[in-house]
Amino acid sequence: MRTEIRRSTWVKPLLSVFGGTAERSYVDIKGDEIHVRFGWLFDERIPLSRVTSVERARWPLLGGLGWRTNFVDTVAVVGSYDDVVRIRLAPAQPMRVLLRVPAETLYVSVEDPDAFVAEVRRRIASRVS
């Protein structure tokens, strides 16, 4: 399953400067991993075996849009304040956002969050059974 990273119309020009175009901004669930790409700055593959939960979430206005991190345990690739999902990981996975961050939580805005959440949960459940 592949879905675009949701990008609000007003922020698309700024994101495109860093490669955040429709062609380079997606989440792809394939095999036993989730591939998240957001422009030239973010390209990570997450094994489904590390995903402990996935659910819809809110991204705060003060959090900003684009490539975000708290440099401790959270990474976000959000092009919109709407349709954000939170993926929790264990053990933490190093992800590069300027520096490598041991991410326990990844936030990502996607075009179809309900379908994305359902597909990740289905794959996790089939892995456990």
Side-chain angles (χ1 to χ4, degrees), residues 2 4 8-9 11 15-16 26 28 47 52 63 76 83 89 100 102 106 111 118 128-129:
R2 182 174 169 139
E4 281 186 32
S8 294
T9 303
V11 78
L15 295 174
S16 67
Y26 59 84
D28 192 8
T52 60
D83 298 328
L89 308 169
R100 296 295 269 172
L106 172 65
E111 285 295 330
V128 173
S129 324

Side-chain angles (χ1 to χ4, degrees), residues 25-37:
S25 303
Y26 59 84
V27 181
D28 192 8
I29 306 169
K30 192 180 277 187
D32 61 350
E33 69 181 13
I34 302 171
H35 181 198
V36 182
R37 182 168 183 198

Side-chain angles (χ1 to χ4, degrees), residues 91-111:
Q93 176 167 327
M95 294 184 190
R96 185 170 169 246
V97 181
L98 296 177
L99 302 171
R100 296 295 269 172
V101 175
E104 294 175 359
T105 305
L106 172 65
Y107 289 88
V108 61
S109 56
V110 295
E111 285 295 330

Side-chain angles (χ1 to χ4, degrees), residues 66-122:
W67 302 262
R68 321 305 287 173
T69 183
N70 65 359
F71 295 107
V72 178
D73 62 2
T74 301
V75 169
V77 286
V78 288
S80 171
Y81 292 105
D82 298 317
D83 298 328
V84 175
V85 297
R86 176 178 43 229
I87 304 168
R88 295 189 190 262
L89 308 169
Q93 176 167 327
M95 294 184 190
R96 185 170 169 246
V97 181
L98 296 177
L99 302 171
R100 296 295 269 172
V101 175
E104 294 175 359
T105 305
L106 172 65
Y107 289 88
V108 61
S109 56
V110 295
E111 285 295 330
D112 191 347
D114 294 327
F116 177 81
V117 167
E119 180 64 14
V120 173
R121 287 179 178 170
R122 184 186 70 76

